Amino acid sequence: DAGVIQSPRHEVTEMGQEVTLRCKPISGHDYLFWYRQTMMRGLELLIYFNNNVPIDDSGMPEDRFSAKMPNASFSTLKIQPSEPRDSAVYFCASISLAGGPGNEQFFGPGTRLTVL
Amino acid sequence: AQSVTQPDIHITVSEGASLELRCNYSYGATPYLFWYVQSPGQGLQLLLKYFSGDTLVQGIKGFEAEFKRSQSSFNLRKPSVHWSDAAEYFCAVTSGGSYIPTFGRGTSLIVHP
């Protein structure tokens, strides 16, 4: 397996523009997570899905953020409109928890977002 | 709610010196404990994990960690640090009640030549 795949790796956009980040989890994993990492706030969990269903989106900072998982192999995180304070590295991670909580999360390489 | 504390934001060591990164957790049930490493520009990668058995666990890259229930700690150690170990290290906890990992704030390791 190629691991968790994220695209794009880098995104530079202007304030007010729509940004869409993409993630392909590892095949067979039943949970998918979106994280945001900044120097100020560290690693923050934004939302996670179980079997394509959003379970907890309490970490999504504002209504400008939305996430979808239309099928088991694809998820998007959208920011509309984007603001400079959204600049961060966004990670997608997946995990198989069918056997219990002892499995590791697999992280993608991240998308570095810069909003000018 | 479960929580994870990594009290050291930055640690600086000289190459070849020993290393210990601290992690304390707060949870009543038996925890599942993990250490992840994040190299610059990369995602997080699992170093090691513990959930039962021998309280001293070995991981990749020469790292080990010891689970001490009485101290609610799971400290990461390495006897001799290499320059390539410079990275961000995250401790994480899950439990039987919640399969969702809780991550610590992270400790940034700086290695001097």
Side-chain angles (χ1 to χ4, degrees), chain A residues 1-64:
Chain A
D1 202 312
V4 177
I5 299 172
Q6 290 187 249
S7 65
R9 291 294 311 275
H10 302 273
E11 176 81 31
V12 180
T13 190
E14 292 189 346
M15 182 175 62
Q17 296 299 305
E18 177 179 296
V19 175
T20 300
L21 311 181
R22 297 173 177 80
C23 174
K24 182 181 187 312
I26 291 175
S27 177
H29 282 188
D30 50 352
Y31 281 80
L32 182 140
F33 303 79
W34 282 100
Y35 291 91
R36 178 173 69 177
Q37 185 178 39
T38 61
M39 291 290 290
M40 291 295 293
R41 301 173 70 90
L43 191 66
E44 301 174 274
L45 176 62
L46 300 178
I47 185 172
Y48 70 91
F49 296 81
N50 176 215
N51 293 324
N52 314 337
V53 177
I55 302 300
D56 185 352
D57 66 353
S58 60
M60 298 285 260
E62 299 173 37
D63 291 345
R64 299 183 295 106

Coordinates of all heavy atoms in Angstrom, one line a residue, chain A residues 1-64:
Chain A
D1 N 0.9 -1.2 0.0 CA 0.0 0.0 0.0 C 0.9 1.2 0.0 O 1.9 1.3 0.6 CB -0.9 0.0 1.2 CG -2.1 0.9 1.1 OD1 -2.0 2.0 0.6 OD2 -3.2 0.4 1.4
A2 N 0.4 2.3 -0.7 CA 1.2 3.5 -0.8 C 1.1 4.4 0.5 O 1.7 5.4 0.5 CB 0.8 4.3 -2.0
G3 N 0.4 4.0 1.5 CA 0.2 4.8 2.6 C -0.9 5.8 2.4 O -1.7 5.8 1.4
V4 N -1.1 6.7 3.4 CA -2.1 7.8 3.2 C -1.6 8.8 2.2 O -0.4 9.3 2.4 CB -2.4 8.4 4.6 CG1 -3.4 9.6 4.4 CG2 -2.9 7.4 5.6
I5 N -2.4 9.1 1.3 CA -2.0 10.1 0.2 C -2.8 11.4 0.4 O -4.0 11.4 0.6 CB -2.3 9.5 -1.2 CG1 -1.4 8.2 -1.3 CG2 -1.9 10.5 -2.2 CD1 -1.8 7.4 -2.6
Q6 N -2.1 12.5 0.4 CA -2.7 13.8 0.5 C -2.3 14.6 -0.7 O -1.2 14.6 -1.2 CB -2.3 14.5 1.8 CG -2.9 13.9 3.0 CD -2.5 14.8 4.3 OE1 -1.8 14.4 5.1 NE2 -3.2 15.9 4.3
S7 N -3.2 15.5 -1.1 CA -2.9 16.4 -2.2 C -3.7 17.7 -2.0 O -4.8 17.7 -1.4 CB -3.2 15.8 -3.6 OG -4.6 15.6 -3.7
P8 N -3.2 18.8 -2.4 CA -1.8 19.0 -2.8 C -0.8 19.0 -1.6 O -1.3 19.0 -0.5 CB -1.8 20.4 -3.5 CG -2.8 21.1 -2.7 CD -3.9 20.1 -2.4
R9 N 0.5 18.9 -1.9 CA 1.4 19.0 -0.8 C 1.6 20.4 -0.3 O 1.9 20.7 0.9 CB 2.8 18.4 -1.2 CG 2.8 16.9 -1.5 CD 2.5 16.1 -0.2 NE 3.4 16.5 0.9 CZ 4.6 16.1 1.1 NH1 5.1 15.2 0.3 NH2 5.3 16.5 2.2
H10 N 1.5 21.4 -1.2 CA 1.6 22.8 -0.8 C 0.5 23.5 -1.6 O 0.2 23.2 -2.7 CB 2.9 23.3 -1.3 CG 4.1 22.6 -0.7 ND1 4.6 23.0 0.6 CD2 4.9 21.6 -1.1 CE1 5.7 22.2 0.8 NE2 5.8 21.4 -0.1
E11 N -0.1 24.5 -0.9 CA -1.1 25.3 -1.4 C -1.0 26.7 -1.0 O -0.9 27.0 0.2 CB -2.5 24.8 -1.0 CG -3.7 25.6 -1.5 CD -4.1 25.3 -2.9 OE1 -3.9 24.2 -3.4 OE2 -4.6 26.2 -3.6
V12 N -0.8 27.6 -1.9 CA -0.8 29.1 -1.6 C -2.0 29.7 -2.3 O -2.2 29.6 -3.5 CB 0.5 29.7 -2.1 CG1 0.6 31.2 -1.7 CG2 1.7 29.0 -1.5
T13 N -2.7 30.4 -1.5 CA -3.9 31.1 -2.0 C -4.1 32.4 -1.4 O -3.4 32.8 -0.4 CB -5.2 30.2 -1.7 OG1 -6.3 30.7 -2.4 CG2 -5.5 30.2 -0.2
E14 N -5.0 33.2 -1.9 CA -5.3 34.5 -1.4 C -6.6 34.5 -0.5 O -7.5 33.6 -0.7 CB -5.5 35.5 -2.5 CG -4.2 35.7 -3.3 CD -4.3 36.9 -4.3 OE1 -5.5 37.3 -4.5 OE2 -3.3 37.3 -4.7
M15 N -6.6 35.3 0.5 CA -7.7 35.4 1.4 C -9.0 35.5 0.6 O -9.1 36.3 -0.4 CB -7.5 36.7 2.3 CG -8.6 36.9 3.3 SD -8.2 38.2 4.4 CE -8.2 39.6 3.3
G16 N -10.0 34.8 1.1 CA -11.3 34.8 0.4 C -11.5 33.7 -0.6 O -12.6 33.4 -0.9
Q17 N -10.4 33.0 -1.0 CA -10.6 31.9 -1.9 C -11.0 30.7 -1.3 O -10.7 30.4 -0.1 CB -9.2 31.7 -2.7 CG -8.8 32.9 -3.5 CD -9.8 33.2 -4.6 OE1 -10.2 32.4 -5.4 NE2 -10.3 34.5 -4.6
E18 N -11.6 29.8 -2.1 CA -11.9 28.5 -1.6 C -10.7 27.5 -1.7 O -10.0 27.6 -2.7 CB -13.1 27.9 -2.4 CG -13.5 26.5 -2.0 CD -14.7 26.0 -2.8 OE1 -15.8 26.6 -2.7 OE2 -14.5 25.0 -3.5
V19 N -10.5 26.7 -0.7 CA -9.4 25.8 -0.7 C -10.0 24.4 -0.4 O -10.8 24.2 0.5 CB -8.4 26.1 0.5 CG1 -7.3 25.0 0.6 CG2 -7.8 27.5 0.2
T20 N -9.5 23.4 -1.2 CA -10.0 22.0 -1.0 C -8.7 21.1 -0.9 O -7.9 21.1 -1.7 CB -10.8 21.5 -2.2 OG1 -12.0 22.3 -2.3 CG2 -11.2 20.1 -2.0
L21 N -8.7 20.4 0.3 CA -7.6 19.5 0.5 C -8.1 18.1 0.4 O -9.3 17.8 0.8 CB -7.1 19.7 2.0 CG -6.7 21.2 2.3 CD1 -6.2 21.2 3.8 CD2 -5.8 21.8 1.4
R22 N -7.3 17.2 -0.1 CA -7.8 15.9 -0.5 C -7.0 14.8 0.3 O -5.8 15.0 0.5 CB -7.7 15.6 -2.0 CG -8.6 16.6 -2.8 CD -8.4 16.5 -4.2 NE -9.3 17.3 -5.0 CZ -9.2 18.7 -5.1 NH1 -8.1 19.3 -4.6 NH2 -10.1 19.3 -5.8
C23 N -7.6 13.7 0.5 CA -7.0 12.6 1.2 C -7.5 11.3 0.8 O -8.7 11.1 0.6 CB -7.3 12.7 2.7 SG -6.6 11.3 3.7
K24 N -6.6 10.3 0.6 CA -6.9 9.0 0.3 C -6.4 8.1 1.4 O -5.1 8.0 1.5 CB -6.3 8.5 -1.1 CG -6.6 7.1 -1.5 CD -6.0 6.7 -2.8 CE -6.4 5.4 -3.3 NZ -6.4 4.3 -2.4
P25 N -7.2 7.5 2.2 CA -6.7 6.7 3.3 C -6.2 5.3 2.9 O -6.3 5.0 1.7 CB -8.0 6.5 4.2 CG -9.1 6.5 3.2 CD -8.7 7.5 2.1
I26 N -5.6 4.6 3.8 CA -5.1 3.3 3.5 C -6.4 2.4 3.3 O -7.3 2.4 4.1 CB -4.2 2.8 4.6 CG1 -2.9 3.6 4.6 CG2 -3.9 1.3 4.5 CD1 -1.9 3.2 5.7
S27 N -6.3 1.5 2.3 CA -7.4 0.7 2.0 C -7.7 -0.3 3.2 O -6.8 -0.8 3.8 CB -7.1 -0.2 0.8 OG -8.1 -1.1 0.5
G28 N -9.0 -0.4 3.6 CA -9.4 -1.2 4.7 C -9.4 -0.5 6.0 O -10.0 -1.1 7.0
H29 N -8.9 0.7 6.1 CA -9.0 1.4 7.4 C -10.4 2.0 7.5 O -11.0 2.5 6.6 CB -8.0 2.5 7.4 CG -6.6 2.0 7.7 ND1 -5.5 2.9 8.0 CD2 -6.1 0.8 7.9 CE1 -4.5 2.2 8.2 NE2 -4.8 0.9 8.2
D30 N -10.9 1.9 8.7 CA -12.3 2.3 8.9 C -12.5 3.7 9.6 O -13.6 4.1 9.7 CB -13.1 1.2 9.8 CG -12.4 0.8 11.0 OD1 -11.2 1.2 11.2 OD2 -12.9 0.1 11.8
Y31 N -11.4 4.3 10.0 CA -11.5 5.6 10.6 C -10.5 6.5 9.8 O -9.4 6.1 9.4 CB -11.0 5.6 12.0 CG -12.0 5.2 13.0 CD1 -12.2 3.8 13.2 CD2 -12.8 6.1 13.8 CE1 -13.2 3.4 14.2 CE2 -13.7 5.6 14.7 CZ -13.9 4.3 14.9 OH -14.8 3.8 15.8
L32 N -11.0 7.8 9.6 CA -10.2 8.8 9.0 C -10.3 10.1 9.8 O -11.3 10.4 10.3 CB -10.7 9.0 7.5 CG -9.9 10.1 6.7 CD1 -9.7 9.7 5.3 CD2 -10.5 11.5 6.8
F33 N -9.1 10.7 9.9 CA -9.0 11.9 10.8 C -8.4 13.0 10.0 O -7.5 12.8 9.1 CB -8.1 11.6 12.0 CG -8.4 10.5 12.8 CD1 -8.2 9.2 12.5 CD2 -9.0 10.7 14.1 CE1 -8.5 8.1 13.3 CE2 -9.4 9.6 14.9 CZ -9.1 8.3 14.5
W34 N -8.9 14.2 10.3 CA -8.2 15.4 9.8 C -7.7 16.2 11.0 O -8.4 16.5 11.9 CB -9.2 16.3 9.0 CG -9.5 15.9 7.6 CD1 -10.6 15.2 7.2 CD2 -8.7 16.1 6.5 NE1 -10.5 15.0 5.8 CE2 -9.4 15.5 5.4 CE3 -7.5 16.7 6.2 CZ2 -8.9 15.6 4.1 CZ3 -7.0 16.8 5.0 CH2 -7.7 16.2 3.9
Y35 N -6.4 16.6 10.9 CA -5.7 17.4 11.9 C -5.2 18.7 11.3 O -4.9 18.7 10.1 CB -4.5 16.6 12.5 CG -4.8 15.4 13.3 CD1 -4.9 14.1 12.7 CD2 -5.0 15.5 14.7 CE1 -5.2 13.0 13.4 CE2 -5.2 14.3 15.4 CZ -5.3 13.1 14.8 OH -5.6 12.0 15.6
R36 N -5.0 19.6 12.2 CA -4.3 20.9 11.8 C -3.2 21.1 12.7 O -3.3 20.9 13.9 CB -5.3 22.0 11.8 CG -4.7 23.4 11.5 CD -5.7 24.5 11.4 NE -6.3 24.8 12.7 CZ -7.2 25.8 12.9 NH1 -7.6 26.5 11.9 NH2 -7.7 26.0 14.1
Q37 N -2.0 21.5 12.2 CA -0.8 21.7 13.0 C -0.3 23.1 12.8 O 0.0 23.5 11.7 CB 0.3 20.7 12.7 CG 1.5 20.8 13.7 CD 2.5 19.7 13.4 OE1 2.8 19.4 12.2 NE2 3.1 19.1 14.4
T38 N -0.2 23.8 13.9 CA 0.4 25.1 13.9 C 1.4 25.2 15.0 O 1.4 24.5 16.0 CB -0.6 26.3 14.1 OG1 -1.3 26.1 15.3 CG2 -1.6 26.2 12.9
M39 N 2.3 26.2 15.0 CA 3.3 26.4 16.0 C 2.5 26.8 17.3 O 2.9 26.4 18.4 CB 4.3 27.5 15.6 CG 5.2 27.1 14.5 SD 6.4 25.9 15.1 CE 7.4 26.9 16.2
M40 N 1.5 27.6 17.2 CA 0.8 28.1 18.4 C 0.0 27.1 19.1 O 0.0 27.0 20.3 CB 0.0 29.3 18.0 CG 0.7 30.6 17.6 SD 1.7 31.3 18.9 CE 0.4 31.8 20.0
R41 N -0.7 26.3 18.3 CA -1.7 25.4 18.9 C -1.3 23.9 18.8 O -2.1 23.1 19.3 CB -3.1 25.6 18.2 CG -3.6 27.1 18.3 CD -4.8 27.3 17.5 NE -5.9 26.6 18.1 CZ -6.8 27.1 19.0 NH1 -6.6 28.3 19.4 NH2 -7.8 26.4 19.4
G42 N -0.2 23.6 18.2 CA 0.2 22.2 18.1 C -0.7 21.4 17.1 O -1.2 22.0 16.2
L43 N -0.9 20.2 17.4 CA -1.7 19.3 16.6 C -3.1 19.2 17.1 O -3.4 18.8 18.2 CB -1.1 17.9 16.7 CG -1.6 16.8 15.7 CD1 -1.1 17.2 14.3 CD2 -1.0 15.5 16.0
E44 N -4.1 19.7 16.3 CA -5.5 19.7 16.7 C -6.3 18.8 15.8 O -6.2 18.8 14.6 CB -6.0 21.1 16.4 CG -5.4 22.3 17.1 CD -5.9 23.6 16.7 OE1 -5.5 24.1 15.6 OE2 -6.9 24.1 17.3
L45 N -7.1 18.0 16.5 CA -8.1 17.1 15.7 C -9.2 18.0 15.3 O -9.9 18.6 16.1 CB -8.5 16.0 16.6 CG -9.6 15.1 16.0 CD1 -9.1 14.4 14.8 CD2 -10.1 14.1 17.1
L46 N -9.5 18.0 14.0 CA -10.6 18.8 13.5 C -11.9 18.0 13.4 O -12.9 18.4 13.8 CB -10.3 19.3 12.1 CG -9.0 20.2 12.0 CD1 -8.8 20.6 10.5 CD2 -9.2 21.4 12.8
I47 N -11.8 16.8 12.8 CA -13.0 15.9 12.6 C -12.5 14.5 12.3 O -11.4 14.3 11.9 CB -13.8 16.5 11.4 CG1 -15.1 15.7 11.2 CG2 -13.0 16.4 10.1 CD1 -16.0 16.3 10.1
Y48 N -13.3 13.5 12.6 CA -13.0 12.2 12.2 C -14.3 11.5 11.7 O -15.4 11.8 12.1 CB -12.3 11.4 13.3 CG -13.1 11.0 14.5 CD1 -13.7 9.8 14.6 CD2 -13.1 11.8 15.6 CE1 -14.4 9.4 15.7 CE2 -13.8 11.4 16.8 CZ -14.4 10.2 16.8 OH -15.1 9.8 17.9
F49 N -14.0 10.5 10.9 CA -15.1 9.7 10.2 C -14.9 8.2 10.6 O -13.8 7.8 10.8 CB -15.0 9.8 8.7 CG -15.2 11.1 8.1 CD1 -14.2 12.1 8.1 CD2 -16.5 11.5 7.6 CE1 -14.4 13.4 7.6 CE2 -16.7 12.7 7.1 CZ -15.7 13.7 7.0
N50 N -16.0 7.5 10.7 CA -16.0 6.1 10.9 C -16.9 5.5 9.8 O -18.0 5.8 9.7 CB -16.5 5.7 12.3 CG -16.6 4.2 12.5 OD1 -17.5 3.7 13.1 ND2 -15.7 3.4 11.9
N51 N -16.2 4.7 9.0 CA -17.0 4.1 7.9 C -17.7 5.1 7.1 O -18.9 5.0 6.7 CB -18.0 3.0 8.4 CG -17.2 1.8 8.9 OD1 -16.2 1.4 8.4 ND2 -17.8 1.2 10.0
N52 N -17.0 6.2 6.8 CA -17.4 7.3 5.9 C -18.4 8.3 6.6 O -18.9 9.2 6.0 CB -18.1 6.8 4.6 CG -17.3 5.7 3.9 OD1 -16.1 5.6 4.2 ND2 -17.9 4.9 3.1
V53 N -18.8 8.0 7.8 CA -19.8 8.8 8.5 C -19.1 9.8 9.5 O -18.2 9.3 10.3 CB -20.8 8.0 9.3 CG1 -21.7 8.9 10.1 CG2 -21.5 7.1 8.4
P54 N -19.3 11.1 9.4 CA -18.7 12.0 10.4 C -19.2 11.7 11.8 O -20.4 11.7 12.0 CB -19.1 13.4 9.9 CG -20.4 13.2 9.1 CD -20.2 11.8 8.5
I55 N -18.2 11.5 12.7 CA -18.6 11.1 14.1 C -18.5 12.3 15.0 O -19.3 12.6 15.9 CB -17.7 10.0 14.6 CG1 -17.8 8.8 13.7 CG2 -18.0 9.7 16.0 CD1 -19.2 8.2 13.6
D56 N -17.4 13.1 14.9 CA -17.2 14.2 15.8 C -16.5 15.3 15.0 O -15.4 15.2 14.6 CB -16.3 13.7 17.0 CG -16.1 14.8 18.0 OD1 -16.5 16.0 17.8 OD2 -15.5 14.5 19.1
D57 N -17.2 16.4 14.9 CA -16.6 17.6 14.2 C -16.5 18.8 15.1 O -16.4 19.9 14.7 CB -17.5 18.0 13.0 CG -18.9 18.5 13.4 OD1 -19.2 18.4 14.6 OD2 -19.6 18.9 12.5
S58 N -16.4 18.5 16.4 CA -16.3 19.5 17.4 C -15.0 20.3 17.3 O -14.9 21.4 17.8 CB -16.4 19.0 18.8 OG -15.4 18.0 19.1
G59 N -14.0 19.8 16.6 CA -12.8 20.5 16.5 C -12.7 21.4 15.3 O -11.8 22.2 15.1
M60 N -13.7 21.4 14.4 CA -13.8 22.3 13.3 C -13.9 23.7 13.8 O -14.9 24.0 14.5 CB -14.9 21.9 12.4 CG -14.8 20.5 11.8 SD -13.6 20.4 10.5 CE -14.6 20.5 9.1
P61 N -13.0 24.6 13.4 CA -13.0 25.9 14.1 C -14.2 26.8 13.8 O -14.6 27.5 14.6 CB -11.7 26.5 13.6 CG -11.3 25.7 12.4 CD -11.9 24.4 12.5
E62 N -14.6 26.7 12.6 CA -15.7 27.6 12.2 C -16.5 27.0 11.1 O -16.1 26.0 10.5 CB -15.1 29.0 11.6 CG -14.3 29.7 12.6 CD -13.6 30.9 12.0 OE1 -14.2 31.6 11.1 OE2 -12.5 31.2 12.4
D63 N -17.7 27.6 10.8 CA -18.5 27.1 9.7 C -17.8 27.2 8.3 O -18.3 26.6 7.3 CB -19.8 27.9 9.6 CG -20.7 27.6 10.8 OD1 -20.4 26.6 11.5 OD2 -21.6 28.3 11.1
R64 N -16.7 28.0 8.2 CA -16.0 28.1 7.0 C -15.4 26.7 6.6 O -15.0 26.5 5.5 CB -14.9 29.2 7.1 CG -15.5 30.6 7.3 CD -14.4 31.6 7.3 NE -13.4 31.4 8.4 CZ -12.2 30.9 8.3 NH1 -11.7 30.6 7.0 NH2 -11.3 30.8 9.3

